[in-house]
Amino acid sequence: MGALGVLVDDVTGYTVIEGLIGSSWSVSTEIWLDVLAPLPATDALVARARLLHATNVSAFTEGWVRDSTGAMVVACRQRGRALAEDPTDLRPSSYELPGAAEDVSTLLGLRTLGADRTSLEVVPLLENPRHMLHGGVTMCAAEVTAVQSRLAAGVDLPTTSLHTAYTRGVPAGSTIEFRASTRHAGRTFWVTEVVGVVDDRITSVSTVSAQVL
């Protein structure tokens, strides 16, 4: 499910930017993803969003992801904060698109440090236009780390909800570590908290819930 992070962040985030009053860019402060139905493995998915509220300081959007039949499979939301700068004229970092990857961890370059920890180097492929780690990549890595932690505990419940709060940006060239902690362990419902840490500072806090739909 975390693989939808970049798609959802972009769709809801650009809707935030469009709605902000007197600002041309934003930073994500919170993003929510909630799975409504099992995600297809090979089908095309379409994401859309709409503005619910905006001021000159922040905006709130909601969105949804549908499969090729039009059925809604994911609901999502984002709260974004206005930035004075406009990074759209920045020269993007150059990188080569990766070839086929066997899984999302390989695609991102996410390394396993133990049952409850992973790490990620912020390379150009993973950056947003401000040369920070893309918020959707943070969501994806956090969810993968939570799944890894659940599997290590012998639990194969699927992720059904993911909420990430962004506390500080992660600059290009940084190495971020994701640390998972089980907050609730049940046979039918499991909750994991995953914090992103750079240089002993928390950069994100994700709550990942798992249950049978």
Side-chain angles (χ1 to χ4, degrees):
M1 193 265 272
L4 292 176
V6 171
L7 173 65
V8 165
D9 185 11
D10 279 353
V11 172
T12 56
Y14 281 112
T15 306
V16 165
I17 294 171
E18 183 180 6
L20 283 169
I21 300 171
S23 181
S24 57
W25 202 256
S26 70
V27 60
S28 306
T29 57
E30 294 180 272
I31 304 177
W32 296 259
L33 278 77
D34 293 290
V35 177
L36 307 178
L39 298 176
T42 58
D43 197 6
L45 298 174
V46 176
R48 298 184 184 276
R50 66 175 181 174
L51 181 70
L52 293 182
H53 178 75
T55 68
N56 62 345
V57 176
S58 65
F60 191 82
T61 60
E62 71 172 357
W64 50 92
V65 180
R66 298 181 185 273
D67 64 18
S68 60
T69 70
M72 188 184 300
V73 292
V74 172
C76 49
R77 296 174 287 157
Q78 178 170 160
R79 188 185 304 277
R81 188 177 69 251
L83 289 179
E85 63 191 271
D86 181 357
T88 55
D89 60 349
L90 294 176
R91 178 175 297 178
S93 302
S94 59
Y95 57 86
E96 293 184 4
L97 290 174
E102 61 183 20
D103 54 37
V104 71
S105 294
T106 303
L107 182 65
L108 297 181
L110 190 66
R111 299 184 298 274
T112 299
L113 302 180
D116 302 314
R117 293 193 178 193
T118 62
S119 70
L120 184 67
E121 182 181 351
V122 183
V123 297
L125 175 65
L126 308 180
E127 297 171 16
N128 65 20
R130 296 179 62 241
H131 301 294
M132 297 284 188
L133 179 62
H134 194 293
V137 174
T138 296
M139 295 193 82
C140 183
E143 196 264 342
V144 169
T145 306
V147 171
Q148 176 181 295
S149 175
R150 290 200 305 267
L151 290 175
V155 176
D156 61 356
L157 292 170
T159 298
T160 52
S161 181
L162 171 58
H163 168 250
T164 297
Y166 301 89
T167 56
R168 65 178 65 238
V170 181
S174 301
T175 298
I176 180 171
E177 185 173 309
F178 294 94
R179 303 171 181 174
S181 301
T182 300
R183 297 306 185 197
H184 175 74
R187 291 185 298 106
T188 59
F189 187 50
W190 197 278
V191 180
T192 307
E193 181 182 77
V194 181
V195 294
V197 179
V198 176
D199 296 331
D200 295 323
R201 293 184 174 183
I202 293 177
T203 61
S204 61
V205 180
S206 298
T207 302
V208 186
S209 301
Q211 59 192 303
V212 176
L213 291 174

